[in-house]
Amino acid sequence: MSDAEPRPSTDFIRSIVNEDIRTGKGDGRVHTRFPPEPNGYLHIGHAKSICINFGIARDYGGKCNLRFDDTNPVKEEQEYIDSIIEDVRWLGFDWEDRLFYASDYFGTLYEYAVKLIEKGKAFVCDQTPDEVRECRGTLTEPGRNSPYRDRSVEENIDLFERMRAGEFPNGARTLRAKIDMASPNLNMRDPVMYRILHASHPRTGDKWCIYPTYDFTHGQSDSIEGITHSICTMEFEDHRPLYDWHLDALGIYHPRQIEFARLNLTYTLMSKRRLHQLVKDGHVTGWDDPRMLTLCGMRRRGYTPEAIRNFCDRIGVAKADSVVDFSFLEHCLREDLNRRAWRMMAVLRPLKVVLTNYPEEKTEELDAVNNPEDEAMGTRKVPFSRVLYIEREDFMEDPPKKFYRLAPGREVRLRYAYFIICDEVVKDANEEIVELRCTYDPATRGGDAPDGRKVKATLHWVSAEHALDAEVRLYDHLFTKENPDEAPKGQDFTANLNPDSLEVLSGCKLEPSLSGAKSGDLYQFERLGYFCVDSKDSTPAQPVFNRTVTLKDAWAKAQAIERK
Ligand code: ATP
Ligand code: MG
């Protein structure tokens, strides 16, 4: 049976798995699951959980199930189920034929509940939600027993059956575990197992009008699927005694629950409730808004599954709460994009340059390197002609000392092309600069001067006649605060929304090789960052690019300073 081998443990969960394999627990099998509730889209925090669960299964030659924890029909929708399936697949994980739903087990869970009633370990309670709360006690005071706690097994069975048959309205009764109203752990004070809810379920329709709680569902579902390690986040630590109690009371196969600290990221909110609010109130354009740290938002922004998986592996797994620096996520992204992205030239805020000594009709095809990190990616031809665009901010009429780019009378290099000198600045009636008149040096073709003279700057450019027009969207953090929840008194996180998180630039000029760019294609626009074709709004006639990330690696820079 035992096909798993202990492996060098890189984190505390893998140490536990190793130990269980060594001691022969669970027949040496390793079987995990990722159990999302389909009440929203997955975010980067879920990616951590996915990478842990599927990663451990992969590392030990085990299995990992995808299981929808769909016990609350009021908040769950097919749209979310579909998106979760798409996102886990996109991240690169495979559950083979093991796609499950907690709702598949409603029948079995009902039988389990009956079994606990028969054992005298569960009872039907007629207390209102308010009465339940009142009797619950506090962290320092014990609770009080429900007056319905000592009903006979027969009466409990009868009432539970009638709950199921739809005889009672929502909230009229619950089924509760009979544990201990004086337990120091509030979760153990006769917790609710079943509630009445006359609501249609996305999968079971109107078959049920009572639904099991998360606590009564999760462990039993793990047990039914033969899960060995039920890995979840720290907020379930206090639920573990209840997880264990249900399984022991039922006397069924007992997986082991292990908790780890959830991922927190600076400038980012992960709670689905808040993400819902951002979408509903129109602060973003949808769950897949490229500023959202949902997996679909990140995909649209240009994140790769490799970058996200790498990030999740490198942040590690621990029990202590921590906040990961957003710049580290971007660092992992750049590492991946640097390897795979083609370099291109694009001008976001164009300034016209006329080379007065370049022939009117002439066009040259110059060689440009596709990726200096990877020679195999080859070279391409870039057209050059008399009228070009450069970046507006690469020119200053009256430059300060440290500005080395183009200025009147100054010489710079145009990437892959020639040296040029600015001779004249043309302005319109409002004193706005509209054109530069420059001369090029034909002897510097390819970007080097035969006489060895140097220039201090190399600019990117695009030939005006050949340029492709595009819209480019630049993004910044959605929130201005590292902790978006830290809002002024009386306000919520929306007070911290960054009004400049999206900047739309139209009339950007791209080199013509970008005309074939397809949805999701990734590029580095030289000196500007990594960009991808927007999967929703881009058309061949009107291309739209998203900036995935800039080139400035704040994380690497901070590391370098720390090392000094
Ligand atoms: P949220 O708090 O964002 O609403 P959730 O925990 O309610 O998320 P579930 O669908 O229940 O969302 O989560 C599925 C799995 O993902 C759970 O095992 C949960 O512990 C894990 N998970 C959720 N958020 C994070 C996070 N930030 N870091 C790591 N794991 C997470
Ligand atoms: Mg949850």
Side-chain angles (χ1 to χ4, degrees):
M1 264 305 278
S2 163
D3 43 9
E5 293 276 321
R7 294 171 49 90
S9 53
T10 45
D11 59 62
F12 82 95
I13 300 180
R14 283 170 169 85
S15 300
I16 293 172
V17 173
N18 275 338
E19 192 53 28
D20 287 348
I21 291 169
R22 228 174 264 125
T23 58
K25 229 178 142 193
D27 302 328
R29 290 182 307 119
V30 174
H31 199 152
T32 57
R33 84 286 168 271
F34 173 64
E37 182 182 357
N39 61 353
Y41 283 68
L42 297 182
H43 52 61
I44 181 74
H46 293 115
K48 174 175 179 179
S49 178
I50 294 168
C51 288
I52 291 173
N53 279 294
F54 281 93
I56 286 179
R58 174 201 59 215
D59 291 352
Y60 290 91
K63 293 174 176 157
C64 181
N65 299 354
L66 175 60
R67 182 204 312 146
F68 287 101
D69 184 6
D70 56 347
T71 55
N72 184 1
V74 179
K75 292 197 167 159
E76 294 158 8
E77 287 173 30
Q78 188 62 40
E79 174 193 345
Y80 303 136
I81 294 179
D82 295 339
S83 75
I84 290 169
I85 288 177
E86 183 183 359
D87 288 348
V88 179
R89 241 191 223 129
W90 175 73
L91 256 193
F93 296 105
D94 184 8
W95 50 89
E96 298 172 315
D97 57 351
R98 294 178 312 280
L99 171 60
F100 300 120
Y101 296 83
S103 57
D104 294 342
Y105 311 135
F106 282 169
T108 309
L109 291 169
Y110 182 83
E111 285 165 26
Y112 283 163
V114 170
K115 204 162 144 190
L116 290 187
I117 295 173
E118 286 168 353
K119 288 187 174 193
K121 290 176 190 278
F123 67 99
V124 172
C125 182
D126 301 358
Q127 285 188 315
T128 63
D130 278 343
E131 287 167 342
V132 171
R133 216 169 296 126
E134 221 173 278
C135 288
R136 209 166 173 233
T138 63
L139 284 173
T140 50
E141 275 173 64
R144 278 173 286 126
N145 283 352
S146 158
Y148 307 97
R149 200 174 197 262
D150 296 319
R151 275 177 165 153
S152 69
V153 169
E154 293 68 35
E155 191 183 0
N156 279 321
I157 295 276
D158 174 60
L159 285 171
F160 189 47
E161 276 172 2
R162 288 163 59 193
M163 278 169 65
R164 179 194 185 169
E167 276 190 37
F168 313 118
N170 288 356
R173 293 194 156 88
T174 56
L175 182 72
R176 296 174 67 181
K178 203 187 277 188
I179 308 180
D180 178 9
M181 288 305 289
S183 170
N185 183 338
L186 291 169
N187 294 306
M188 300 297 273
R189 294 185 184 173
D190 293 2
V192 172
M193 295 162 56
Y194 266 89
R195 57 207 190 280
I196 300 172
L197 196 62
H198 293 268
S200 208
H201 186 282
R203 289 181 56 83
T204 57
D206 295 321
K207 182 162 182 217
W208 297 89
C209 62
I210 56 172
Y211 290 96
T213 57
Y214 167 84
D215 283 315
F216 188 65
T217 307
H218 202 80
Q220 284 65 262
S221 303
D222 285 343
S223 175
I224 292 167
E225 293 175 15
I227 300 303
T228 55
H229 300 87
S230 178
I231 302 163
C232 60
T233 35
M234 286 311 288
E235 71 270 22
F236 294 104
E237 193 176 31
D238 290 344
H239 294 243
R240 185 172 3 112
L242 182 53
Y243 180 101
D244 292 336
W245 187 90
H246 284 135
L247 295 170
D248 290 340
L250 286 164
I252 55 178
Y253 167 73
H254 194 149
R256 173 173 188 169
Q257 178 178 306
I258 304 167
E259 309 87 16
F260 69 94
R262 44 173 63 225
L263 167 66
N264 299 299
L265 252 189
T266 56
Y267 301 104
T268 306
L269 284 178
M270 305 234 193
S271 129
K272 277 182 276 186
R273 196 175 53 77
R274 294 197 184 77
L275 299 183
H276 261 289
Q277 191 181 332
L278 289 173
V279 173
K280 183 172 59 71
D281 296 345
H283 297 301
V284 293
T285 56
W287 286 93
D288 65 351
D289 187 301
R291 291 166 292 181
M292 294 271 271
L293 272 287
T294 49
L295 294 183
C296 56
M298 294 171 83
R299 175 163 66 237
R300 188 168 164 199
R301 175 82 172 255
Y303 278 81
T304 59
E306 290 81 358
I308 297 175
R309 290 201 306 262
N310 190 249
F311 168 75
C312 291
D313 287 347
R314 286 165 71 179
I315 53 175
V317 191
K319 279 203 173 269
D321 231 353
S322 68
V323 184
V324 176
D325 207 313
F326 197 95
S327 65
F328 181 63
L329 174 64
E330 293 192 325
H331 173 77
C332 294
L333 176 61
R334 279 188 201 97
E335 268 185 0
D336 187 46
L337 297 182
N338 182 41
R339 245 176 280 133
R340 68 171 73 223
W342 281 49
R343 273 49 170 177
M344 290 283 167
M345 289 198 286
V347 174
L348 301 188
R349 298 172 182 87
L351 174 59
K352 191 172 165 189
V353 169
V354 179
L355 303 178
T356 49
N357 62 338
Y358 197 90
E360 297 259 3
E361 302 303 322
K362 187 173 169 181
T363 299
E364 281 174 276
E365 297 280 330
L366 302 173
D367 288 315
V369 175
N370 289 331
N371 188 337
E373 302 286 316
D374 183 359
E375 220 173 286
M377 286 169 79
T379 60
R380 66 181 186 286
K381 298 285 184 194
V382 185
F384 186 87
S385 61
R386 179 180 159 94
V387 183
L388 311 167
Y389 293 112
I390 63 164
E391 211 66 63
R392 211 158 251 284
E393 64 176 36
D394 281 338
F395 174 81
M396 281 186 93
E397 194 175 14
D398 190 12
K401 244 192 168 153
K402 290 236 161 126
F403 186 89
Y404 298 117
R405 291 165 276 167
L406 197 59
R410 187 179 292 172
E411 187 168 46
V412 297
R413 174 189 295 112
L414 294 181
R415 181 91 157 136
Y416 302 123
Y418 296 98
F419 285 10
I420 62 167
I421 291 184
C422 176
D423 307 312
E424 191 189 338
V425 179
V426 182
K427 296 181 181 176
D428 66 9
N430 302 319
E431 286 296 291
E432 280 268 357
I433 300 173
V434 290
E435 184 182 311
L436 303 179
R437 300 186 77 79
C438 303
T439 42
Y440 85 113
D441 177 357
T444 58
R445 192 176 200 270
D448 281 308
D451 62 5
R453 78 181 188 278
K454 299 283 178 220
V455 288
K456 281 203 167 130
T458 301
L459 310 186
H460 60 274
W461 52 272
V462 172
S463 161
E465 183 193 333
H466 306 91
L468 201 68
D469 279 300
E471 176 180 312
V472 172
R473 298 172 184 174
L474 306 180
Y475 302 100
D476 196 354
H477 294 306
L478 190 51
F479 297 99
T480 51
K481 284 243 169 77
E482 281 201 9
N483 176 4
D485 270 325
E486 209 173 77
K489 248 208 167 83
Q491 288 180 283
D492 70 357
F493 66 93
T494 54
N496 294 323
L497 278 163
N498 177 5
D500 302 318
S501 60
L502 168 65
E503 187 181 359
V504 178
L505 302 174
S506 55
C508 303
K509 303 289 180 182
L510 315 184
E511 73 165 83
S513 358
L514 281 159
S515 67
K518 292 184 306 298
S519 165
D521 280 356
L522 285 159
Y523 300 94
Q524 184 190 104
F525 291 174
E526 295 211 20
R527 300 174 64 224
L528 299 171
Y530 293 96
F531 293 77
C532 76
V533 180
D534 187 73
S535 56
K536 225 175 193 173
D537 299 334
S538 190
T539 63
Q542 282 171 314
V544 177
F545 282 79
N546 294 316
R547 177 149 72 186
T548 308
V549 65
T550 62
L551 294 176
K552 282 195 203 91
D553 193 334
W555 188 82
K557 198 170 169 196
Q559 294 301 105
I561 291 169
E562 219 164 84
R563 271 196 298 272
K564 265 188 206 158

